[in-house]
Amino acid sequence: MTVTAFAALHRAGEPLLLPCAWDHASALALAGQGFQAVGTTSLGVAAAAGLPDGASATRDETLRLALTLGSAPFLLSVDAEDGFSDDPDEVGEFARDLAAVGAVGINLEDGLGPVERHAAKIAAVRSAAPGLFVNARTDTYWSGDADPAETVRRLEAYREAGADGVFVPGLTDPARIASLAAHFDVPLNVLYSPAGPALAHLADLGVGRVSLGSLLYRRALGAALETAAGIRSGRIPDGPAPTYDEVRTLVRP
């Protein structure tokens, strides 16, 4: 199997740091900082549209964003929640649409639903869009259950179905991260946590990809709130901010 440029960025010991954008400007700005690959954050896309995250409500918005970004000068991976459907064929069709507009990766979460159903979705994506990097996410730690055995069981099924990478958001324990990274023959993806291991430590643990998820969107929202409240209190805003003209350049070519 040919290794794609995106897959080649997933290296144990030198993991891909994947920042996640929520609109065209944020994606182009991140690419301008030298990131070869940019992901999307389902929370940011949903919140920007006034829709709930994780409720299969943003299929159109996600595809529309992919359409504007897929031809941009960076590699695009799309957070597709659970594929926006329980029907594997519909998920495969969505993946085909993503690949057609230039996306190179898709992230699919299981929401702790039936393992067989999520595995079927992965297999459908593999069939419909063979070149798309499938990152299979399980929510065993994200939900707070933190069941190591169930995590392995789910990820093994997803790997067997054709996943190119496995993702365990919420996992921050170094020993368990190292154990999972060593267990699988595909890259382990973890979600960066300010309270968890630093990027260099995650590299030492064998992680192949570190996602920033919704962190950048939430930080941007926090900075906006802090700035507005500070001005109201008579303080002069500090910290970096792109100029008006710089933001105007973040448009489609």
Side-chain angles (χ1 to χ4, degrees), residues 46-63:
L51 296 169
D53 183 36
S56 297
T58 58
R59 183 187 189 281
D60 292 345
E61 287 76 11
T62 300
L63 187 57

Side-chain angles (χ1 to χ4, degrees), residues 3-11 14 133:
V3 177
T4 66
F6 183 60
L9 294 177
H10 297 69
R11 296 185 291 266
E14 191 180 347
F133 186 102

Side-chain angles (χ1 to χ4, degrees), residues 70-139:
S71 60
F74 55 82
L75 301 170
L76 175 67
S77 182
V78 175
D79 183 349
E81 296 185 8
D82 65 350
F84 305 114
S85 175
D86 286 339
D87 183 340
D89 289 338
E90 291 183 0
V91 176
E93 184 61 34
F94 183 74
R96 184 184 289 112
D97 290 341
L98 289 180
V101 299
V104 298
I106 185 172
N107 188 75
L108 291 173
E109 61 195 53
D110 65 8
L112 297 185
V115 173
E116 296 77 10
R117 183 175 68 199
H118 200 61
K121 292 180 183 182
I122 292 167
V125 170
R126 180 87 292 125
S127 176
L132 210 57
F133 186 102
V134 182
N135 201 44
R137 164 178 159 173
T138 185
D139 290 323

Side-chain angles (χ1 to χ4, degrees), residues 16-72:
L16 166 66
L17 178 62
L18 188 70
C20 298
W22 55 94
D23 62 8
H24 189 271
S26 58
L28 268 289
L30 289 166
Q33 289 296 304
F35 289 98
Q36 297 180 61
V38 176
T40 64
T41 161
S42 65
L43 175 64
V45 172
L51 296 169
D53 183 36
S56 297
T58 58
R59 183 187 189 281
D60 292 345
E61 287 76 11
T62 300
L63 187 57
R64 190 176 302 117
L65 180 58
L67 177 62
T68 68
L69 296 178
S71 60

